[in-house]
């Protein structure tokens, strides 16, 4: 969540229905993106951008678009590269996805894992392949709370759907493709990048990097949130079959070389942020800290966090929560009432008791609980609001089983506190630093410069697509992750 972008929660549900699948894309036959799906994509676009940290509008974003249009021009979509809109998202989640209207999205976190332009082309080609092949998918996109309200009591009564919901929340977009759809998109991606002049082996190589990144994240210690687990691997299930097949398809193109544009690509991504953007707050294990708001809190053990532009979502077995802020006019009673209304929507009615006031960590606070009916039963909705300053306030909206009230979130609600200036200043972004290997540098010596406490060597290898026995040559360029400045 960004300081300046805090706004009232929206519970508007947006549903996207892909066109009916019509089997494999036939080569040579052109297809148009329908006006209705393009209009839907345009309408949905601002919400996707907000949920994934905002759009990266730097020169790098223009570069990503130019690579994308070069690749999508090879698809069978009428209008070629002009039919697609490609957006780079300022998100710490490793993901890329497409919507049927021809909008393709790739996160900065996924771009940071790539090693050359051909790999970037392969991801955009794969996503364009999903659009071109009209992969049918019923996707429900909604704000987190409306998702929670719609599944409501079923989730809170201990059904296994909760785990699924948590997974969906943390991957942001509720979808995954079938195995055959993945393979078809891979095939099309390989075909497009080869036709665009890129080395078709880049697809298999990037799938390999993604697999390595997935394994590494599983090993990284102290991470019970799923935000850095490569979401692309979950929404586009990875398998050794995909790597093998992408390799075979690359060979079948008859093209044994092609553009890699490694140096141009590395120059473009030098300085790109990885992991959390401190302007939106950072998640470290169970703790959320926001250096600009100067606040912190800790979520319950076993609960995951997902940070969006407007709100932070917290999901676990005993309930779900969202942390955000909105307009504050000096009255905490009014603030709490507005927070309830924002959850149930302007048309919704919610009966809550007069907010009670208290002090939490020296901060004036107010809270109230209401019983809310959902499609699948009743839940408790609690608002806990903090009067942060004379003209700012923040709050949790908590959803728990009916009768549970604040329930498992008691300690979290009590953990809200202020960061000192020194604590806030110590929070720095991590960025990619492209360096030239000097004589005497080794994989280990370079890995020692990685801005992580654990698994430095493994992280360096995965970041650079290096095998365990790879060595480096002086003059070669490699990526490091270092601390940047704010
Ligand atoms: Zn896919």
């Amino acid at each position: 969540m960004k300081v300046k972008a805090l706004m009232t929660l929206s519970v508007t549900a947006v549903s996207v229905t892909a066109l009916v699948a019509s089997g494999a894309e036939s080569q040579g036959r052109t297809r148009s993106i329908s006006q209705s799906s393009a209009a839907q994509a345009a309408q949905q676009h601002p919400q996707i951008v907000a949920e994934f940290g905002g759009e990266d509008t730097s020169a790098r974003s223009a570069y990503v678009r130019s690579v994308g249009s070069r690749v999508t021009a090879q698809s069978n979509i009428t209008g070629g590269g002009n039919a697609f809109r490609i957006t780079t998202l300022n998100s710490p989640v490793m993901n890329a996805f497409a919507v049927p209207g021809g909008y393709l999205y790739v996160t900065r976190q996924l771009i940071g894992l790539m090693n050359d332009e051909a790999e970037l082309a392969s991801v955009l080609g794969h996503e364009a392949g999903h659009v071109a092949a009209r992969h049918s998918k019923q996707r429900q996109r909604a704000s987190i709370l409306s998702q929670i309200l719609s599944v409501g009591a079923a989730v809170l009564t201990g059904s296994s759907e909760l785990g699924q919901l948590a997974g969906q929340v943390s991957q942001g977009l509720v979808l995954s493709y079938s195995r055959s759809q993945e393979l078809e998109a891979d095939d099309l991606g390989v075909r497009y990048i080869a036709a665009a002049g890129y080395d078709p082996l880049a697809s298999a190589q990037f799938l390999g990097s993604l697999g390595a990144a997935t394994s590494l994240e599983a090993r990284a210690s102290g991470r019970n949130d799923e935000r850095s687990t490569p979401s692309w691997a979950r929404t586009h299930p990875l398998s050794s079959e995909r790597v093998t097949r992408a390799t075979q398809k690359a060979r079948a193109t008859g093209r044994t070389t092609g553009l890699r544009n490694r140096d141009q690509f590395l120059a473009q991504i030098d300085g790109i942020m990885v992991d959390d953007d401190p302007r939106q707050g950072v998640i470290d294990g169970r703790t959320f800290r926001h250096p600009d708001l100067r606040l912190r809190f800790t979520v319950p053990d076993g609960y995951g966090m997902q940070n969006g532009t407007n709100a932070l979502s917290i999901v676990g077995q005993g309930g779900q929560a969202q942390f955000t802020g909105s307009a504050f006019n000096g009255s905490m009673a009014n603030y709490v009432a507005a927070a309830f209304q924002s959850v149930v929507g302007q048309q919704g009615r919610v009966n809550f008791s007069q907010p009670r006031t208290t002090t939490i960590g020296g901060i004036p606070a107010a809270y109230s609980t209401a019983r809310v009916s959902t499609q699948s039963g009743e839940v408790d909705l609690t608002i806990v609001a903090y009067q942060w300053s004379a003209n700012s306030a923040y709050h949790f909206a908590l959803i728990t089983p009916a009768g549970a009230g604040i329930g498992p979130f008691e300690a979290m609600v009590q953990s809200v506190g202020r960061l000192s200036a020194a604590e806030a200043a110590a929070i720095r972004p991590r960025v990619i630093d492209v360096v030239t290997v000097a004589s005497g540098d080794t994989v280990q010596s370079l890995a020692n410069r990685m801005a992580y406490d654990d698994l430095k060597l493994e992280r360096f290898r995965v970041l650079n697509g290096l095998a365990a026995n790879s060595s480096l040559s002086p003059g070669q360029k490699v990526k490091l992750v270092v601390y940047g400045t704010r």
Side-chain angles (χ1 to χ4, degrees):
M1 49 186 287
K2 265 189 240 174
V3 181
K4 289 189 178 130
L6 292 176
M7 55 174 75
T8 311
L9 294 181
S10 163
V11 290
T12 313
V14 177
S15 70
V16 176
T17 312
L19 297 166
V20 175
S22 49
E25 182 205 44
S26 56
Q27 199 159 4
R29 194 175 134 220
T30 60
R31 277 182 172 148
S32 298
I33 290 173
S34 76
Q35 283 192 338
S36 64
S37 63
Q40 263 188 334
Q43 187 193 27
Q44 186 185 27
H45 178 72
Q47 283 175 283
I48 291 180
V49 168
E51 193 173 324
F52 282 84
E55 181 171 0
D56 177 348
T57 53
S58 66
R60 180 181 309 119
S61 181
Y63 167 73
V64 172
R65 273 199 303 277
S66 73
V67 173
S69 52
R70 180 173 183 158
V71 174
T72 54
Q74 306 302 324
S75 75
N76 68 339
I77 295 292
T78 309
N82 294 326
F84 290 87
R85 174 166 172 165
I86 297 149
T87 303
T88 303
L89 296 164
N90 176 29
S91 170
V93 173
M94 263 190 198
N95 208 352
F97 50 91
V99 299
Y103 282 50
L104 311 185
Y105 300 89
V106 59
T107 65
R108 59 167 168 78
Q109 191 77 9
L110 192 68
I111 291 172
L113 182 64
M114 299 166 184
N115 283 298
D116 58 40
E117 191 177 298
E119 292 186 357
L120 171 61
S122 78
V123 168
L124 296 172
H126 174 101
E127 295 304 333
H130 281 305
V131 175
R134 296 185 169 182
H135 286 157
S136 173
K137 201 78 230 157
Q138 174 82 33
R139 278 178 273 194
Q140 291 291 332
R141 293 202 71 265
S143 75
I144 302 301
L145 274 182
S146 64
Q147 281 183 36
I148 290 165
L149 287 172
S150 66
V151 284
V155 154
L156 295 171
T157 49
S159 104
S160 63
E161 287 175 43
L162 182 62
Q164 292 172 23
L165 178 75
Q168 288 167 355
V169 168
S170 63
Q171 76 190 27
L173 205 66
V174 183
L175 80 159
S176 67
Y177 294 107
S178 71
R179 178 178 156 277
S180 64
Q181 287 174 331
E182 278 317 304
L183 296 176
E184 186 182 17
D186 282 344
D187 293 356
L188 290 170
V190 169
R191 192 205 294 172
Y192 299 160
I193 67 170
Y198 290 107
D199 182 347
L201 271 175
S203 290
Q205 283 161 352
F206 188 67
L207 288 172
S209 279
L210 205 54
T214 306
S215 306
L216 178 62
E217 282 302 330
R219 287 182 58 197
S221 58
R223 304 293 291 265
N224 59 9
D225 62 288
E226 291 191 341
R227 113 213 105 79
S228 295
T229 304
S231 294
W232 205 67
R234 278 185 278 133
T235 54
H236 304 67
L238 274 180
S239 61
S240 56
E241 179 190 17
R242 283 182 65 191
V243 178
T244 306
R245 181 169 161 136
T247 306
Q248 288 166 349
K249 290 286 174 181
R251 294 208 180 103
T253 63
R255 181 185 271 279
T256 52
T257 59
L259 288 175
R260 299 301 302 220
N261 285 356
R262 178 175 163 87
D263 286 355
Q264 292 96 316
F265 176 84
L266 291 177
Q268 287 286 342
I269 70 159
D270 197 11
I272 196 171
M273 195 182 292
V274 296
D275 302 337
D276 288 320
D277 181 346
R279 286 171 299 182
Q280 301 182 0
V282 300
I283 294 168
D284 190 9
R286 295 192 292 126
T287 300
F288 178 72
R289 292 174 299 155
H290 200 307
D292 295 345
L293 304 182
R294 300 270 297 272
L295 70 74
R296 55 155 289 148
F297 57 81
T298 301
V299 304
D301 197 12
Y303 281 60
M305 283 183 268
Q306 171 67 27
N307 200 5
T309 307
N310 302 327
L312 177 84
S313 301
I314 300 135
V315 179
Q317 288 291 332
Q320 293 96 25
Q322 202 163 44
F323 184 80
T324 189
S326 65
F328 178 60
N329 66 2
S331 161
M332 286 300 275
N334 289 350
Y335 183 92
V336 170
F340 272 116
Q341 202 66 54
S342 75
V343 175
V344 298
Q346 288 311 310
Q347 310 304 321
R349 285 182 55 82
V350 56
N351 296 314
F352 57 93
S353 53
Q354 179 69 21
R356 301 170 72 166
T357 56
T358 184
T359 302
I360 295 175
I363 302 154
Y367 61 98
S368 178
T369 297
R371 189 67 48 85
V372 178
S373 293
T374 73
Q375 287 168 4
S376 40
E378 294 192 317
V379 297
D380 276 357
L381 169 61
T382 300
I383 302 294
V384 182
Y386 303 83
Q387 186 177 336
W388 205 249
S389 71
N391 52 16
S392 66
Y394 303 103
H395 68 272
F396 287 107
L398 311 170
I399 309 259
T400 55
I406 292 176
F409 296 113
E410 183 66 39
M412 176 181 82
V413 161
Q414 295 289 340
S415 72
V416 171
R418 298 186 191 276
L419 286 180
S420 70
E423 287 168 329
I427 297 171
R428 290 176 296 167
R430 291 189 178 99
V431 297
I432 296 279
D433 186 20
V434 176
V435 301
T436 303
V437 177
S439 78
D441 282 340
T442 63
V443 169
Q444 183 68 62
S445 72
L446 288 161
N448 288 344
R449 293 161 62 182
M450 294 283 283
Y452 292 95
D453 295 333
D454 61 348
L455 301 171
K456 287 170 184 262
L457 184 62
E458 293 81 356
R459 290 178 193 277
F460 177 75
R461 283 194 183 121
V462 168
L463 183 68
N464 288 287
L466 298 173
N469 57 359
S470 295
S471 56
L472 301 171
S473 317
Q476 181 182 353
K477 286 187 166 54
V478 292
K479 293 178 287 178
L480 296 175
V481 173
V482 301
Y483 286 113
T485 53
R486 294 197 67 206

